[in-house]
Amino acid sequence: MKIALCVNHDKYLKDGMFSADRYVESHLREFYRLLKEAVEDKGDEIHTLDLYEDLAQPDVFLFFDYPLFNPLEYSAVKWKNYRRMRKVLQGTGRKILYIWESPLYNKGNFNPENYRQFDKVLCYSPLEIPNYEYFPYSIRRSDVSRCRVISRQEFESRKLSCMITSNKLIQGNGYDLRYEIVDYFENRPDGFDLYGVNWIFEGISKAARVILRKKYAARPPKNYKGSCDSKQDTFEHYRFGFAIENLYGFPGYVSEKLFDVLTADCVPVYTGSNIMEGTIPKDIFVDIEAFASLKQLDDYLRAMSYEEYAGFLERKIEFLHSPQFADYFHQVNVGRMMDVIYGKNEG
């Protein structure tokens, strides 16, 4: 069997999603690698779509999000890849859609008319369609091993909080809340540091940002510390890490943002998902929605004792090592994906 991976990001092309030499998000790299190994163990092959010259070659087309083309990010490579994916959708062949991005970023992911083009649709959010399969977010099994209860001395020496986020052109929902947090701490910079990309602009990019979002286009926020190589390493210099979903209140949506902080020696300050009840305990993170204002939240974080803080870490570690959390490991999701590709009854 030949499997073609249909992806929107050009960095993933030419099997780049499997390569350690390309920038692939750490929370996804192992999932791609494990999927490739599982397929090859069956004697089959899996490559990105661009490596198949003839679109009749693949038996299965696995779409990582619905085909998307952004004219603001135009390149000849992206345009050619997009056109080939659209051609696949119009042709025969078994097609599977794996929904990752929220509708804020990719509206095509949640257009019911598009689901008719696929044999299966995998998604974290419940979809009332006959070809739907539940597919939650997953992480590396090794990520949970580093979380520990820090000492009182380390607690007292750490800075208060930080947030790691990109400055994107997208507006609304979680993106707006992140800007509110950045704005608030502009006046209280001692309690917050900001990391991420696209907070400093030059030339045409800067001009576009000034037009589309004037704030912070001319200068980065006062508490901006640049980009970071490792989210977990960065979070472990702070007591609290802000984790704001791009889209909150959307059924089932939870991304790496919570898990990046959850698996570090740091307490998440979180809002976003409505699946917490019965899945992820609410007593392992600070719920932003429980506070009437950012000032109330800030005051609570600053006043938290070591004993209360250690309690958050203890409960978090217990959950990360529980059978309940095992459902969030890449190995489980790869098994789900293999069942969809090959059929659940195949050995």
Side-chain angles (χ1 to χ4, degrees):
M1 180 184 290
K2 294 182 178 181
I3 301 169
L5 301 177
C6 303
V7 295
N8 288 312
H9 298 293
D10 54 354
K11 65 185 177 184
Y12 288 173
L13 299 177
K14 298 187 184 299
D15 279 359
M17 58 202 306
F18 306 122
S19 173
D21 298 329
R22 303 273 188 96
Y23 172 73
V24 178
E25 294 83 347
S26 59
H27 59 280
L28 296 175
R29 186 184 298 116
E30 183 175 318
F31 173 79
Y32 298 144
R33 178 182 63 80
L34 290 173
L35 178 61
K36 180 178 175 65
E37 289 176 359
V39 170
E40 292 178 345
D41 282 348
K42 286 183 170 287
D44 295 333
E45 67 176 62
I46 181 169
H47 300 289
T48 49
L49 181 66
D50 56 301
L51 294 182
Y52 292 100
E53 291 187 12
D54 185 350
L55 294 182
Q57 287 181 283
D59 302 287
V60 177
F61 298 90
L62 177 54
F63 285 74
F64 284 84
D65 287 321
Y66 194 78
L68 173 70
F69 182 76
N70 184 352
L72 295 176
E73 300 175 352
Y74 173 81
S75 74
V77 172
K78 285 185 177 182
W79 178 238
K80 180 180 179 180
N81 180 56
Y82 173 74
R83 290 178 62 192
R84 294 192 86 217
M85 287 194 292
R86 297 296 304 181
K87 191 172 182 179
V88 168
L89 290 179
Q90 296 165 8
T92 59
R94 190 157 173 259
K95 295 179 279 290
I96 301 167
L97 173 62
Y98 170 30
I99 293 176
W100 169 261
E101 294 287 359
S102 77
L104 272 180
Y105 182 82
N106 189 331
K107 290 182 172 59
N109 276 348
F110 290 91
N111 182 346
E113 293 297 316
N114 293 338
Y115 301 152
R116 300 176 183 178
Q117 300 170 305
F118 298 92
D119 297 275
K120 282 288 183 182
V121 178
L122 316 180
C123 187
Y124 46 77
S125 185
L127 303 173
E128 295 184 1
I129 54 174
N131 55 341
Y132 163 76
E133 290 269 352
Y134 173 64
F135 211 88
Y137 175 78
S138 62
I139 68 168
R140 297 172 296 189
R141 190 183 299 273
S142 60
D143 284 343
V144 305
S145 61
R146 64 187 291 164
C147 192
R148 61 190 173 88
V149 178
I150 65 173
S151 67
R152 182 185 298 271
Q153 181 180 5
E154 189 172 354
F155 170 80
E156 292 174 351
S157 67
R158 285 189 177 189
K159 296 181 179 181
L160 185 67
S161 68
C162 75
M163 181 166 64
I164 303 173
T165 186
S166 300
N167 186 9
K168 295 185 177 181
L169 295 178
I170 302 171
Q171 299 185 35
N173 216 288
Y175 291 95
D176 288 346
L177 178 57
R178 291 189 199 118
Y179 281 105
E180 289 178 27
I181 293 169
V182 173
D183 289 349
Y184 171 82
F185 282 106
E186 278 277 280
N187 299 317
R188 302 189 77 177
D190 62 303
F192 176 83
D193 286 340
L194 174 67
Y195 297 86
V197 298
N198 294 335
W199 291 96
I200 300 175
F201 311 103
E202 295 178 356
I204 295 174
S205 175
K206 179 177 178 179
R209 299 279 174 165
V210 169
I211 294 171
L212 296 172
R213 178 177 284 282
K214 293 183 179 181
K215 184 173 286 293
Y216 305 125
R219 64 161 182 86
K222 295 175 184 176
N223 40 31
Y224 178 60
K225 303 299 180 184
S227 58
C228 63
D229 294 328
S230 167
K231 291 182 180 180
Q232 285 182 314
D233 288 347
T234 301
F235 281 128
E236 291 175 356
H237 291 286
Y238 300 84
R239 297 179 189 176
F240 303 97
F242 281 87
I244 315 298
E245 297 290 5
N246 295 338
L247 181 65
Y248 53 86
F250 191 76
Y253 180 66
V254 61
S255 73
E256 81 283 358
K257 294 170 181 61
L258 173 61
F259 292 95
D260 285 339
V261 192
L262 202 61
T263 54
D265 298 338
C266 183
V267 171
V269 181
Y270 179 74
T271 190
S273 178
N274 63 354
I275 67 165
M276 294 302 156
E277 193 67 35
T279 55
I280 298 177
K282 295 195 71 170
D283 62 356
I284 63 175
F285 62 87
V286 176
D287 186 359
I288 294 178
E289 299 300 315
F291 299 88
S293 67
L294 289 176
K295 184 180 185 307
Q296 281 190 8
L297 171 63
D298 184 24
D299 291 343
Y300 171 76
L301 298 181
R302 292 175 188 268
M304 185 179 293
S305 67
Y306 170 73
E307 288 75 19
E308 184 179 359
Y309 185 85
F312 273 100
L313 295 181
E314 289 168 357
R315 293 188 296 272
K316 183 173 74 166
I317 292 170
E318 181 180 0
F319 173 66
L320 290 175
H321 290 88
S322 70
Q324 183 182 0
F325 191 75
D327 198 45
Y328 292 97
F329 290 132
H330 285 323
Q331 288 84 349
V332 177
N333 260 4
V334 168
R336 289 188 179 102
M337 186 70 78
M338 293 294 285
D339 285 344
V340 171
I341 294 172
Y342 289 94
K344 296 182 180 180
N345 296 324
E346 182 172 323

